[in-house]
Amino acid sequence: MARERGFLAAIAVACTFAAGCAVPVRSVDPLPSWNEGAAMQSIVAFVSEVTLEGGARYVPPAERIAVFDNDGTLWSEQPVYFQLMFALERIQALAPRHPEWQTQEPFASLLKGNLEGALAGGEPAIAQIIMATHAGMTTEEFAQIVKDWLATSRHPVTKRPYTGMVYQPMLELLAYLRASGFKTFIVSGGGIEFMRPWTERVYGIPPEQVVGSSIRTKYEVRDGQPVLVRLPQLDFIDDKAGKPVGINQHIGRRPILAVGNSDGDFQMLEWTTAGTGPRLGLIVHHDDAAREFAYDRDSHVGHLERGLDEAGTRGWVVVSMKNDWRAIYPSSTTLHATH
Amino acid sequence: MARERGFLAAIAVACTFAAGCAVPVRSVDPLPSWNEGAAMQSIVAFVSEVTLEGGARYVPPAERIAVFDNDGTLWSEQPVYFQLMFALERIQALAPRHPEWQTQEPFASLLKGNLEGALAGGEPAIAQIIMATHAGMTTEEFAQIVKDWLATSRHPVTKRPYTGMVYQPMLELLAYLRASGFKTFIVSGGGIEFMRPWTERVYGIPPEQVVGSSIRTKYEVRDGQPVLVRLPQLDFIDDKAGKPVGINQHIGRRPILAVGNSDGDFQMLEWTTAGTGPRLGLIVHHDDAAREFAYDRDSHVGHLERGLDEAGTRGWVVVSMKNDWRAIYPSSTTLHATH
């Protein structure tokens, strides 16, 4: 009952600002995949108060900036980041054009199916894999390669398309925030141009609201046609202390809501919640081995330790995937409708 | 008559997409400061066709990206870029804290009022002036410095506040585009953080839609409070071939309309208008010595040569400030209302 009243108030208030209010507002639950617990209540309370015109904690729509990490926050990231899966499969696809890879590491190990051997070279090996698969083409060619890969590849464990492994509760949260006058951004350690070809379709987040890591590009005119060529040079790493830097560079104002899942998001939550006025920080905790994956302190992917230790004192809300979420992935029907 | 019909059609079409269409549409002229000439007609024709749902040249709202240069396109840039005026006045203001500047170039010449002598050191001298005035503080401190400067400084020729030297016809064009479902961006060689503190108030362009040159920032926690510190290191120059790179980095899709005034905007117009489908490139020509400033091929500031030479063959529209614009700056009443 309390829940329903909260939602109705939130929607009625949101309607003051959002477009389309000439249409009667339907009093539907905007977060149907969230269980009624502390996490959901803190979200609804926050949205209600910042949208309450005349209220003490009202925030004008222009300042309602919400930032979301991607890997592990909006979609899964196990057994390895999906962008690394993309890179590994691209190495396979490109191998016929690169006979030298048969004897050259890290490619030789990779092509023998020995991922561990390939990654034994550490960060330089990963950088070689990334540059071999992410640079050397135009920005438009790369976007097409990403789209083609997503259309055909399947996750090794779930056998779903990767874009079918986005979190249904997060799709609802994104839509709820936008209906409440928020502008939603992705701020991810992943590649900015790896995400942009599909975030609008899958999350409703347009390319200009995606912040991520990047390599350099160069403007060239080829046979009279201008192109942007992707160079094998790192430009920016949007992770850890880089996230507030990336937020400042791309958004130019401090968010009031940040959502992450690993210590790579720590500074983003710190920067967001240290601002004056109402602020909300959320940490998605992967504690559901049955429906997704369970990992935190001991995981290389999505390592979460400081965030768990300090969430309490900092007032950040830890979202338990196991207890707070009724569903993890969209049902195939929803998936179809969403995409 | 043709003009009025065009406008009405454009507004009626725009209304299909824009918010607030439950409110009756007023059939006002959206570009009252533009004379009825080829430039104005090409703008109205372009907006009408891309917003005509079901039309052959319809463009969905998400792809209606318009990019505007700032210096010389949205506000004046003579006798020198206003950001350089800011830097020079900051040197004066900071001089008491820097006794060493009395004997150290380029500061010594500057403090004696010898601008020419100070700039004799070329780009390194300018870089020294910029870093001495733009780095070393937090991003929030810098934003406040810019706001304070704009509130008190006056242009040496017009005696207006600098934000009173924005172009009234451009304010109308920005508003017309937004009412027609466009998202308007600034893409300027000027400093991104020099513009963001005031572009929303003056142009209606929020910080996240401002692209510009930048220096690096560093995330730090000082006494428990996180800050972003501005470092004296160049990060990105958003000029010439850098403009398409900046557009790709920040916006992630190709604009359909670009407006500039100098050869620094050439590649931005080239990149924009080389895309498929309807495209529009506009060049503001400073040919009005009586009401503003007249300069092009021989000017260091706002140098325009290749753009003039190639506009015809490339289909770019040259806007004559003298002939196409009824007004240059907002009247003080308008100014008051706008700000």
Side-chain angles (χ1 to χ4, degrees), chain A residues 183 196 219 248-249 270, chain B residues 196 208 219 248-249 270:
Chain A
K183 223 171 188 177
R196 280 172 163 168
Y219 186 73
N248 186 62
Q249 180 69 8
E270 180 176 58
Chain B
R196 281 173 163 166
E208 63 268 25
Y219 186 73
N248 186 63
Q249 180 68 6
E270 181 176 59

Side-chain angles (χ1 to χ4, degrees), chain B residues 80 84 88 92 105-123 125-126 129 300:
Chain B
V80 296
L84 184 53
L88 299 178
Q92 300 287 344
E105 291 298 349
F107 308 106
S109 292
L110 265 189
L111 294 173
K112 290 180 197 124
N114 178 5
L115 180 59
E116 209 173 322
L119 300 184
E123 281 190 18
I126 295 175
I129 294 167
H300 287 291

Side-chain angles (χ1 to χ4, degrees), chain B residues 26-42:
Chain B
R26 288 172 302 167
S27 54
V28 292
D29 180 345
L31 299 174
S33 300
W34 290 70
N35 281 314
E36 191 169 352
M40 198 222 43
Q41 282 164 5
S42 65

Side-chain angles (χ1 to χ4, degrees), chain B:
Chain B
M1 184 61 185
R3 180 180 186 180
E4 198 182 339
R5 263 186 292 133
F7 280 134
L8 290 174
I11 293 172
V13 169
C15 178
T16 314
F17 313 103
C21 278
V23 180
V25 173
R26 288 172 302 167
S27 54
V28 292
D29 180 345
L31 299 174
S33 300
W34 290 70
N35 281 314
E36 191 169 352
M40 198 222 43
Q41 282 164 5
S42 65
I43 292 169
V44 173
F46 177 78
V47 172
S48 302
E49 67 183 12
V50 302
T51 54
L52 181 65
E53 209 168 359
R57 293 166 71 78
Y58 174 75
V59 175
E63 292 166 27
R64 292 182 206 154
I65 303 289
V67 288
F68 288 77
D69 171 56
N70 185 43
D71 298 308
T73 297
L74 293 180
W75 74 352
S76 291
E77 60 182 353
Q78 294 284 4
V80 296
Y81 297 120
F82 295 174
Q83 190 171 357
L84 184 53
M85 291 300 301
F86 164 77
L88 299 178
E89 293 181 23
R90 286 298 295 162
I91 294 288
Q92 300 287 344
L94 293 169
R97 284 192 246 165
H98 293 274
E100 75 279 10
W101 285 356
Q102 297 299 330
T103 55
Q104 187 186 319
E105 291 298 349
F107 308 106
S109 292
L110 265 189
L111 294 173
K112 290 180 197 124
N114 178 5
L115 180 59
E116 209 173 322
L119 300 184
E123 281 190 18
I126 295 175
Q128 272 187 284
I129 294 167
I130 295 293
M131 292 310 176
T133 53
H134 286 66
M137 69 292 283
T138 70
T139 51
E140 291 181 355
E141 286 163 354
F142 184 72
Q144 193 57 52
I145 291 168
V146 172
K147 283 187 206 169
D148 291 346
W149 178 76
L150 285 173
T152 54
S153 283
R154 295 294 178 270
H155 186 271
V157 177
T158 67
K159 310 298 179 200
R160 280 179 173 244
Y162 288 100
T163 50
M165 294 179 69
V166 300
Y167 303 133
Q168 175 63 25
M170 283 302 182
L171 297 181
E172 294 166 7
L173 177 56
L174 287 168
Y176 174 46
L177 291 172
R178 287 191 293 258
S180 305
F182 280 76
K183 220 171 193 178
T184 52
F185 287 79
I186 290 174
V187 178
S188 167
I192 190 168
E193 301 224 40
F194 177 75
M195 296 182 282
R196 281 173 163 166
W198 52 273
T199 56
E200 187 155 38
R201 177 175 62 86
V202 174
Y203 301 133
I205 296 179
E208 63 268 25
Q209 286 162 222
V210 177
V211 182
S213 298
S214 57
I215 60 177
R216 290 186 193 275
T217 62
K218 183 169 181 282
Y219 186 73
E220 279 182 21
V221 178
R222 292 180 174 173
D223 300 328
Q225 281 301 310
V227 292
L228 287 164
V229 182
R230 291 169 58 76
L231 305 178
Q233 299 167 19
L234 201 62
D235 179 46
F236 180 65
I237 305 227
D238 189 52
D239 196 32
K240 301 189 172 70
K243 288 206 174 192
V245 171
I247 287 170
N248 186 63
Q249 180 68 6
H250 284 259
I251 308 177
R253 51 182 147 203
R254 203 191 294 228
I256 64 168
L257 192 165
V259 190
N261 76 296
S262 80
D263 283 353
D265 305 312
F266 190 91
Q267 287 83 356
M268 177 170 81
L269 268 75
E270 181 176 59
W271 174 243
T272 299
T273 59
T276 54
R279 305 277 158 171
L280 182 61
L282 297 173
I283 295 177
V284 176
H285 190 200
H286 292 264
D287 57 358
D288 193 332
R291 294 187 301 171
E292 205 237 7
F293 305 94
Y295 57 97
D296 47 39
R297 295 173 189 274
D298 298 324
S299 177
H300 287 291
V301 171
H303 179 76
L304 176 65
E305 185 158 0
R306 193 176 170 200
L308 279 182
D309 290 342
E310 301 189 19
T313 52
R314 289 176 180 266
W316 299 343
V317 176
V318 177
V319 176
S320 161
M321 291 180 73
K322 187 174 175 180
N323 301 319
D324 287 313
W325 287 2
R326 290 183 188 170
I328 304 291
Y329 302 127
S331 68
S332 37
T333 320
T334 317
L335 198 60
H336 190 70
T338 306
H339 293 204

